[in-house]
């Protein structure tokens, strides 16, 4: 063999070797990445080959896959999509959101729990079917929450819980969107629809119930009161507390007034009266006297700051970092650095209703196989002990008084004893306040705990917890109790 042929042979061997290396690299290292790449058209069509399971609320099927008999075998459809959008999410060509994402492997049938079913489908040459997800949502409560906020044209959120189990009966966020527009098997149309929603200044894609936090205003006085009751078991609704018209804030040249600068009784009132009228100064003083660490401990006993999945991810609530006494006074009335999700404040109300026990909130009641067998069923789970049953009983009594003759009379339901607390949270200079209400009913044996949040500006400059949020809560509680 002459020199030229040798060089050609060596070059061929080198190129063959490089080719083998590249093939092995692609198969061993990059295969998974390419398989999952959204530009992979095979993957695109595979997403629609399985018949995803249904999502059910009450007896209503709110999401299902429909057989088109075409190239795109199964298309996802949502009934009353706007009503349930922030709970169920959507199944788009390249992504999922909400329950569609959190329960994806069960819905599309690839979960290990469905391996036998997949084998049967393979042998019978039938498309794989996913499991059904049954939610805890009560359609009547969900519709009442949605319609009440929608009619008023308000931005905000509503959460209703079963205080004894933690089951979420309603979770609504407005403004909302139609998930059907994001579920069509057309990447271009979905991208256009998604980008339009994403650019909307009113943030319709945002689940205000769990994905972000807000200043809770005076609804947080329930946590401050719980801290005092837990610290001293001799304290009760008739215990008198200082209630100056303006409270000096240590280290500052300003004072903390009550709402609209009003007096709080004679300046020394019962704890129940202070909560009824939502006076600021008594609770700010109580917070400073208890100190940051005890206030933080009480917040933690309500689950504040704990990571939470329902199974959707919940943004952590917080009372903020330790600062000076003036900041603590503001935090004790739900201002300054205190930031809560509406779900977290519903949990506070539920704990008071449930003798001080905080139940872990959850959205999925059951997972049912295509054959009708129950694969999973959620058992209620205790999250924490916020306060003693005796302290909870005292706090319930005070919250009932708030609805009976205090700032929350708009939450009254004829023939039902309701407990609650209003909140009107300052946001920033010259910006309208947030309006809040938390409560429960019936007070003797609570079946529902609720939180209503109306975002700054959505109800005008004069929005208040009592006038704006409490009527919405009344409709939701009535819807649950009528069952």
């Amino acid at each position: 063999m002459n020199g030229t042929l040798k060089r050609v042979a060596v070059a061929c061997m080198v190129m063959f070797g490089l080719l083998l290396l590249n093939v092995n690299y692609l198969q061993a290292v990059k295969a998974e990445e390419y398989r999952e790449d959204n530009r992979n058209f095979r993957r695109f069509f595979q997403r629609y080959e399985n018949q995803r399971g249904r999502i059910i609320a009450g007896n209503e099927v709110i999401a299902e896959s429909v057989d088109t008999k075409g190239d795109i075998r199964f298309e996802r459809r949502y009934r009353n999509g706007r009503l349930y959008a922030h709970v169920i999410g959507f199944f788009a060509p390249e992504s999922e959101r909400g329950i569609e994402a959190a329960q994806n492997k069960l819905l599309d049938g690839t979960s290990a729990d469905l391996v036998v079913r997949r084998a049967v489908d393979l042998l019978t040459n039938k498309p794989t079917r996913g499991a059904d997800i049954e939610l805890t949502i009560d359609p009547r409560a969900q519709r009442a929450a949605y319609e009440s906020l929608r009619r008023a044209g308000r931005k905000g959120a509503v959460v209703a819980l079963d205080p004894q189990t933690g089951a979420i009966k309603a979770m609504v966020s407005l403004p909302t969107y139609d998930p059907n527009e994001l579920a069509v098997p057309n990447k271009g149309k979905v991208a256009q629809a998604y980008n339009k929603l994403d650019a909307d200044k009113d943030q319709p894609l945002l689940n205000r119930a769990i994905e972000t936090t807000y200043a809770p205003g005076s609804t947080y006085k329930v946590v401050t009161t719980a801290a005092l009751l837990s610290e001293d078991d001799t304290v009760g609704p008739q215990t008198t507390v200082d209630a100056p018209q303006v409270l000096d804030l240590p280290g500052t040249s300003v004072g903390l007034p009550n709402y609209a600068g009003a007096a709080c009784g004679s300046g020394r009132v019962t704890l129940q009266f202070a909560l009824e009228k939502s006076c600021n100064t008594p609770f700010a003083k109580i917070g400073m006297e208890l100190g940051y660490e005890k206030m933080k401990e009480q917040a933690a006993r309500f689950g504040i700051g704990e990571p939470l999945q329902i199974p959707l991810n919940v943004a952590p609530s917080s009372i903020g970092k330790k600062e000076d006494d003036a900041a603590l006074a503001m935090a004790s009335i739900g201002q300054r650095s205190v930031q809560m999700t509406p779900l977290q404040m519903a949990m506070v109300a539920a704990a008071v209703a449930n003798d001080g026990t905080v139940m872990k909130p959850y959205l999925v009641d059951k997972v049912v196989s295509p054959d009708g067998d129950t694969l999973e069923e959620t058992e209620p789970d205790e999250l924490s002990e916020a306060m003693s049953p005796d302290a909870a009983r005292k706090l319930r009594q005070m919250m009932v008084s708030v609805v009976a003759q205090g700032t929350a009379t708009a939450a009254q339901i004829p023939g039902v004893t309701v407990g609650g607390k209003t909140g009107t949270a300052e946001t920033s200079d010259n910006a309208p306040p947030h309006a809040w209400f938390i409560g429960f009913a019936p007070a003797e044996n609570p079946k529902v705990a609720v939180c209503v949040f109306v975002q700054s500006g959505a109800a005008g400059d004069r929005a208040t917890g009592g006038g704006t949020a409490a009527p919405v809560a009344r409709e939701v509680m009535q819807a649950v109790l009528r069952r």
Side-chain angles (χ1 to χ4, degrees):
M1 184 179 294
N2 59 33
T4 301
L5 287 176
K6 284 183 179 178
R7 286 193 291 274
V8 170
V10 169
C12 288
M13 290 177 65
V14 169
M15 287 190 290
F16 187 70
L18 290 173
L19 180 61
L20 284 177
L21 283 173
N22 190 46
V23 168
N24 282 286
Y25 173 71
L26 292 176
Q27 291 185 337
V29 179
K30 302 291 286 185
E32 184 66 20
E33 178 183 335
Y34 290 156
R35 188 162 40 247
E36 297 302 322
D37 193 309
N38 289 327
R39 293 167 295 181
N40 184 340
F41 275 90
R42 177 178 293 180
R43 180 175 182 271
F44 173 77
F45 286 106
Q46 281 178 340
R47 283 175 67 81
Y48 300 97
E49 288 178 1
N50 294 357
Q51 184 177 7
R52 290 175 71 82
R54 301 173 299 173
I55 301 176
I56 301 167
N59 293 320
E60 297 180 13
V61 176
I62 57 178
E64 63 182 338
S65 290
V66 177
D67 193 348
T68 68
K69 308 293 185 183
D71 292 337
I72 302 296
R73 182 69 189 272
F74 293 101
E75 290 189 13
R76 203 64 168 159
R77 305 279 170 79
Y78 300 98
R79 300 178 191 172
N80 297 312
R82 292 181 179 278
L83 178 59
Y84 296 101
H86 292 97
V87 174
I88 58 178
F90 52 81
F91 179 73
E94 297 179 323
S95 64
E96 312 81 36
R97 183 174 290 193
I99 288 295
E100 291 277 26
Q103 301 290 293
N104 186 44
K105 287 188 177 297
L106 287 163
L107 283 166
D108 73 6
T110 59
S111 167
D113 293 337
L114 295 168
V115 64
V116 174
R117 177 67 204 191
R118 277 205 311 278
V120 172
D121 289 338
L122 183 64
L123 290 172
T124 57
N125 197 32
K126 292 181 178 177
T128 296
R129 283 189 59 192
D132 291 342
I133 306 296
E134 295 185 8
L135 302 180
T136 57
I137 295 291
D138 176 345
R140 186 180 299 190
Q142 183 81 359
R143 193 165 284 109
Y146 173 80
E147 291 295 341
S148 186
L149 278 178
R150 188 190 63 81
R151 279 196 306 270
R154 291 166 183 162
K155 290 184 285 187
V158 178
V159 178
L161 301 172
D162 181 333
Q164 297 176 20
T165 66
I168 296 173
K169 312 306 288 184
M171 180 185 286
V172 166
S173 178
L174 261 70
T176 184
Y177 61 93
D178 184 357
N180 288 295
E181 295 177 358
L182 302 176
V184 294
N186 182 310
K187 293 182 182 181
K189 286 185 177 178
V190 168
Q192 186 178 17
Y194 182 90
N195 291 338
K196 183 179 179 182
L197 290 168
D198 192 44
D200 191 326
K201 63 180 177 57
D202 287 333
Q203 298 180 283
L205 291 171
L206 176 67
N207 186 347
R208 288 167 166 80
I210 60 171
E211 290 182 348
T212 189
T213 58
Y214 307 89
S218 294
T219 54
Y220 196 76
K221 291 170 184 171
V222 172
V223 178
T224 302
T225 306
L228 177 62
L229 294 171
S230 297
E231 176 67 11
D232 184 350
D233 60 11
T234 66
V235 173
Q238 299 309 313
T239 299
T240 56
V241 294
D242 290 337
Q245 190 164 355
V246 177
L247 179 69
D248 292 334
L249 295 178
T252 74
S253 58
V254 299
L256 173 68
N258 294 309
Y259 182 70
C264 183
S266 61
R268 188 160 177 82
V269 300
T270 65
L271 192 58
Q272 179 168 301
F273 181 89
L275 201 67
E276 281 176 15
K277 306 305 179 188
S278 199
C279 303
N280 288 333
T281 57
F283 297 98
K285 191 169 186 292
I286 289 168
M288 284 195 294
E289 290 173 350
L290 290 173
Y292 177 82
E293 294 303 327
K294 288 180 180 174
M295 291 294 291
K296 184 179 179 182
E297 287 172 13
Q298 181 61 67
R301 289 199 289 272
F302 276 109
I304 295 168
E306 291 292 318
L308 195 60
Q309 291 185 318
I310 57 171
L312 311 182
N313 291 326
V314 180
S317 297
S318 171
I319 68 166
K321 63 182 181 180
K322 185 176 183 178
E323 299 181 80
D324 56 23
D325 281 350
L328 180 57
M330 297 296 292
S332 302
I333 60 170
Q335 297 286 169
R336 190 79 178 189
S337 301
V338 176
Q339 291 283 304
M340 299 287 144
T341 60
L343 173 62
Q344 178 61 67
M345 291 312 297
M347 291 165 62
V348 170
V352 177
N354 193 36
D355 284 338
T357 300
V358 185
M359 301 303 293
K360 186 177 180 181
Y362 61 98
L363 267 172
V364 175
D365 184 29
K366 286 182 184 178
V367 178
V368 179
S369 76
D371 303 316
D373 298 328
T374 299
L375 298 175
E376 298 174 16
E377 186 167 4
T378 304
E379 292 292 332
D381 188 15
E382 184 178 323
L383 183 67
S384 59
E385 200 71 38
M387 69 191 98
S388 70
D390 185 56
R393 178 186 59 76
K394 294 173 181 174
L395 194 44
R396 278 201 303 277
Q397 178 183 331
M398 287 186 267
M399 292 175 70
V400 166
S401 182
V402 171
V403 175
Q405 55 200 15
T407 58
T409 53
Q412 293 176 357
I413 301 173
V416 178
T417 308
V418 178
K421 181 69 192 81
T422 57
T424 306
E426 296 176 4
T427 52
S428 60
D429 291 342
N430 300 320
H434 299 313
W436 292 79
F437 175 86
I438 62 172
F440 48 80
E444 303 82 6
N445 184 23
K447 301 296 184 187
V448 57
V450 66
C451 173
V452 175
F453 161 73
V454 177
Q455 193 167 339
S456 167
D461 295 344
R462 295 183 178 275
T464 63
T468 306
V472 177
R474 179 189 62 227
E475 292 194 31
V476 177
M477 289 188 287
Q478 280 181 313
V480 174
L481 297 178
R482 280 174 187 159
R483 291 193 66 83

